Amino acid sequence: MPASPDAANQQARQLGAHDLDRVIAIDSAHVGRNRRHFFEKRMAAARLSPHDFIQIGVMQDGSLCGFAIARVHRGEFGREHASALIDAVGVDPQSQQRGVGQCLMQELAGTARAMGVGTLHSQVAWQDQDLLGFFHASGFELAPRLSLERPVSARLDEPSEEI
């Protein structure tokens, strides 16, 4: 994919506490609600343990126009290599289709590599075709694992339906 003409005006950098309101505004434009508490907790944790998080922002024309936040996992479930789970990613709707997402993913991958991370992971609702398309264009593929979930309201001793 050719670089966007706007890519020359983009600069990636680490996110800081001063970016919180702009991150929330970008995220709210996509999810339809304010997740301030989530981002406050995530950014505070990253300040306390910077080796456990990757927080990237992309600036264009002096304004934050995209962000990505990932948590680094080391050795969980017997894995030898560290991996990073992308918790949140967002590009200002006015900045989409201008290479901001590409810049975010390149910087995220480079930072992860420098931290000894071998793989990036994320989760996407299968109905979210825009986000699925973004991750596909960024080189992500289906992972060779199943995602399992269980409602915590059900007791373990309750009979379950036969499969």
Side-chain angles (χ1 to χ4, degrees):
M1 176 182 291
S4 164
D6 296 310
N9 297 330
Q10 296 168 0
Q11 185 172 15
R13 64 165 175 78
Q14 294 294 310
L15 289 176
H18 61 280
D19 294 312
L20 178 63
D21 289 335
R22 185 72 182 123
V23 165
I24 292 167
I26 293 169
D27 181 69
S28 295
H30 292 287
V31 300
R33 68 186 195 293
N34 185 312
R35 300 191 303 164
R36 175 175 290 278
H37 184 67
F38 166 78
F39 287 107
E40 285 174 340
K41 283 180 20 180
R42 187 58 80 227
M43 292 174 112
R47 279 192 302 278
L48 292 173
S49 299
H51 60 282
D52 290 334
F53 294 89
I54 304 169
Q55 298 187 109
I56 304 295
V58 171
M59 302 290 291
Q60 186 166 334
D61 300 325
S63 179
L64 183 71
C65 59
F67 70 92
I69 300 173
R71 285 178 289 148
V72 177
H73 297 270
R74 292 178 177 81
E76 279 138 356
F77 295 106
R79 293 184 191 119
E80 284 184 37
H81 303 287
S83 62
L85 176 65
I86 301 171
D87 284 332
V89 62
V91 174
D92 185 299
Q94 301 297 317
S95 298
Q96 291 180 345
Q97 305 300 317
R98 296 184 175 164
V100 174
Q102 244 183 339
C103 184
L104 280 170
M105 288 297 112
Q106 289 286 43
E107 189 69 21
L108 184 63
T111 301
R113 200 170 29 255
M115 294 173 73
V117 170
T119 309
L120 295 174
H121 299 274
S122 194
Q123 295 180 359
V124 180
W126 66 270
Q127 313 92 310
D128 192 338
Q129 295 300 308
D130 290 339
L131 192 53
L132 283 169
F134 167 73
F135 279 120
H136 177 72
S138 298
F140 284 74
E141 298 175 350
L142 286 175
R145 77 186 89 193
L146 293 173
S147 177
L148 305 174
E149 67 179 37
R150 172 191 186 281
V152 296
S153 59
R155 292 175 32 123
L156 288 177
D157 60 353
E158 290 178 352
S160 62
E161 289 184 26
E162 293 293 321
I163 300 180

